[in-house]
Amino acid sequence: MIPTHLKSLQALELAMRTGSLTAAGKLLGITTAAVGQRIKTLEEHLGFDLLVRAKSGICLTPELSAALPHIVAAFRELETAAHLLDFQRGLEIHVLANTDWAELWLKTRLSEFKAANPNILFCVNGVGDAPLRLGQADCEVWFGEPRGGYGEEMLFRDYLLPVASPENTKRVSSLDASERLEGFPLLHLNCYRTDPVAIGWPEWISAHGYRKTAAERGIRYAHVLQALEAVFSDAGMLICGLALVQSQLESGIISLPFAISQGAWTEHAYYAAFRESAVRRTQVAAFRSWLLEKSSETTGHLEKLLARD
């Protein structure tokens, strides 16, 4: 049972330790649903429930009560062993990151770092050429406010502006300016909701016009990555951060239907934090320096775009 269900036991232990499936998923670099599925697989194997979902959170069943202390102790020992044997990771770097940042920003640049450092292996959000391992990630990246932890660095703020497919940019450009977006499908993002100054379609249209009705209507997406698929297929326009879609803009897959000056900076930013023990490893220190350099280039790129407008 142990080799087959180790990931399920790990998800279960983290869920109980943190008090929620969501928190466990963040530590594992997987979705809340994936954590629930791992636990469900173990429950199906055993033939009884392990957790009960209540209004106050998750609670363990009587069947789990006797076993939980042993599960916790086992994973504590595994984490200790992983820490003591950390040198065996060799030239691996493990990153736990905001999904959009990882897929849209890091992924388009990481090949450059790998070309200069061909022996370094990466595992980003549980996927990569390095295997997923137990224990903390070397680097964590999030979008939001600073947390004040060790080794924390602000990478960059983003600049929000409408983007569209080239075809839709051509369509709206030919319409009268006062009603350019009237009846046009608008796509909305939830990932900027906690930012106190981030603009969405209602705020943008209120400031710049182009539409008189139903600025709040349209499909909502949790992540930029998901919404971009709709943009690529001409299904609507999206307000998102230009730093994330720089490569798509430069390749011409998407375009800017409105002036760059009609956007707004986020108050929140992308931050990175490196474990103290991790940055003592040469490859992690090199990655940290490269990451800060590329982030500075991103900020410079956005500022140049605004200056040229």
Side-chain angles (χ1 to χ4, degrees), residues 16-94:
M16 294 307 303
R17 188 198 308 178
T18 60
S20 78
L21 302 186
T22 300
K26 287 181 179 179
L27 289 173
L28 290 170
I30 60 178
T31 65
T32 302
V35 174
Q37 184 57 48
R38 288 186 183 183
I39 296 172
K40 182 180 179 182
T41 298
L42 182 57
E43 290 175 329
E44 290 175 349
H45 172 78
L46 294 170
F48 52 78
D49 291 338
L50 296 169
L51 299 180
V52 176
R53 285 72 172 175
K55 290 183 178 180
S56 58
I58 55 174
C59 303
L60 68 167
T61 62
E63 290 82 358
L64 178 58
S65 296
L68 184 61
H70 301 284
I71 295 173
V72 171
F75 276 99
R76 187 184 298 119
E77 289 299 315
L78 283 171
E79 287 184 359
T80 300
H83 177 73
L84 292 174
L85 298 174
D86 197 42
F87 66 90
Q88 290 192 5
R89 291 169 62 177
L91 295 178
E92 295 178 8
I93 297 178
H94 293 252

Side-chain angles (χ1 to χ4, degrees), residues 173-242:
S173 297
S174 64
L175 301 175
D176 181 73
S178 63
E179 297 183 350
R180 187 166 291 174
L181 291 178
E182 199 67 53
F184 199 88
L186 304 179
L187 310 176
H188 304 265
L189 288 169
N190 291 333
C191 55
Y192 299 117
R193 275 187 165 181
T194 59
D195 191 316
V197 303
I199 58 169
W201 282 114
E203 296 84 6
W204 190 86
I205 288 173
S206 175
H208 303 291
Y210 302 110
R211 187 180 181 126
K212 298 176 183 177
T213 62
E216 73 288 348
R217 291 183 185 172
I219 301 174
R220 302 203 70 91
Y221 295 86
H223 300 290
V224 177
L225 192 64
Q226 299 166 336
L228 281 178
E229 293 299 322
V231 175
F232 296 153
S233 60
D234 301 328
M237 288 190 184
L238 175 71
I239 292 179
C240 71
L242 297 191

Side-chain angles (χ1 to χ4, degrees), residues 7 15 34 38 42 50 54 65 99 108 113 116 122-123 135 150 154 164 188 204 253 267 274 309:
K7 287 186 177 181
R38 288 186 183 183
L42 182 57
L50 296 169
S65 296
T99 302
T108 59
F113 181 83
F122 279 85
C123 180
Y150 174 85
M154 189 182 89
H188 304 265
W204 190 86
I253 299 174
E267 180 174 312
F274 287 81
D309 188 59

Side-chain angles (χ1 to χ4, degrees), residues 143 156-163 189-201 203-204 208 224 238-245 249 256 258-268 270 302 306:
F143 178 76
F156 56 86
R157 287 189 168 85
D158 215 337
Y159 188 77
L160 304 179
L161 190 71
V163 299
L189 288 169
N190 291 333
C191 55
Y192 299 117
R193 275 187 165 181
T194 59
D195 191 316
V197 303
I199 58 169
W201 282 114
E203 296 84 6
W204 190 86
H208 303 291
V224 177
L238 175 71
I239 292 179
C240 71
L242 297 191
L244 294 185
V245 296
L249 286 167
L256 302 178
F258 302 100
I260 293 177
S261 59
Q262 293 181 338
W265 291 96
T266 60
E267 180 174 312
H268 288 171
Y270 291 95
L302 293 176
L306 282 165

Side-chain angles (χ1 to χ4, degrees), residues 90-151:
L91 295 178
E92 295 178 8
I93 297 178
H94 293 252
V95 180
L96 178 62
N98 171 278
T99 302
D100 286 327
W101 179 89
E103 291 296 322
L104 295 171
W105 190 90
L106 180 62
K107 197 171 185 178
T108 59
R109 294 165 173 80
L110 195 56
S111 58
E112 176 187 329
F113 181 83
K114 288 183 173 182
N117 303 272
N119 295 322
I120 296 179
L121 306 178
F122 279 85
C123 180
V124 181
N125 290 341
V127 179
D129 41 24
L132 176 65
R133 296 184 184 273
L134 295 174
Q136 292 180 303
D138 300 313
C139 170
E140 182 177 359
V141 178
W142 68 93
F143 178 76
E145 299 178 305
R147 298 174 181 173
Y150 174 85

